[in-house]
Amino acid sequence: MNARLSTFMHFVAGDAQADRVVPPTGYTARLTVFAAASMAFLAVFALALSLATGRVADRWGEALAKSSTIRINAPVDQMDAQVLAVMEILATTPGIKNARPLGDDEQRALLEPWFGPDLPLDQLPIPKLIEVIEDADGFDAEGLRARLAGEAPGAILDDHTRWREPLVRAAKRLRALGIVAIVLIAALSAVVITLAASAALAANEQVIRVLRLVGARDRYIAHAFVRRYTLRALGGASVGTMLGMLAIFLMPSAGDQGSFLTGLGFDGWQWLWPLLIPPLAALVAFGATRQTAQTVLQEKR
């Protein structure tokens, strides 16, 4: 453990002589920092999308899972009797916490987005809706359907299963897309850093030859490039992550009626997840630069 800590501290501290091999400024340095910052910024949003998608879908799924709807299709002269029969069935059904028929104003509000505000409910054969709220134990949906079929033939139970399942599938796919986006961002960062390191090694070919003449090993030279580009990626990713978190923080709050857009963000301890992006970017830069330096130095022997 102490040996690893010592190696890490030596890597961070660096070697003043070896650092002279890598140009401290120039387009490769700016390219590395800018690419790391941009990719980290995008990674924050990809991570926020992945987490928010699951969070909003869970909230909607829980709301749908605890509520059901009974739709009553019956002639006007039988509607009240059917409603009373259904309410009596629900009152004696275990697992139901509350049940109430929706009023005309509530049904009009549900239909308004599709048919407009002036829908004449009293002139249209619109079914009566009963909202059912289950308790923590839930109720037997198949058993309730059987009772409704026998005692209230015009009543149909909708336990919202067909709405929950597509929502869960969509949430899983969006979460997977967010993870894929993060992986692609990491791969693109590795490509950009590889190109920048290759360009820096090519630009310093004469310096590398001189170092070899005075006895410097390729491992010594490669270490200088790996350290410099790893720290550049770490610094750029830190800036990009902070900017991304600030942008997420300034977005509208989700509130209780959160959607995929207003709910895009982090909740509670989830704000710690973006802090992993800079070290991961440094790890990607470390691997990419190390492989590039070893390959280029072998080719230039």
Side-chain angles (χ1 to χ4, degrees), residues 257-283:
Q257 306 296 328
S259 64
F260 288 106
L261 292 179
T262 60
L264 183 61
F266 304 104
D267 186 21
W269 60 269
Q270 292 180 349
W271 283 98
L272 298 176
W273 280 110
L275 300 180
L276 296 176
I277 294 177
L280 289 177
L283 185 62

Side-chain angles (χ1 to χ4, degrees), residues 33 69 78 125 137 140 159 165 194 207 218 220 235 248 268 289-290:
V33 175
T69 303
Q78 301 180 14
D137 297 329
D140 181 8
D159 60 359
E165 292 179 354
T194 297
V207 177
D218 288 350
Y220 175 85
I248 293 292
T289 309
R290 183 179 183 182

Side-chain angles (χ1 to χ4, degrees), residues 59-75:
R59 185 185 302 125
W60 289 353
E62 290 175 1
L64 290 175
K66 293 299 181 181
S67 66
S68 303
T69 303
I70 294 179
R71 185 176 71 254
I72 302 176
N73 294 304

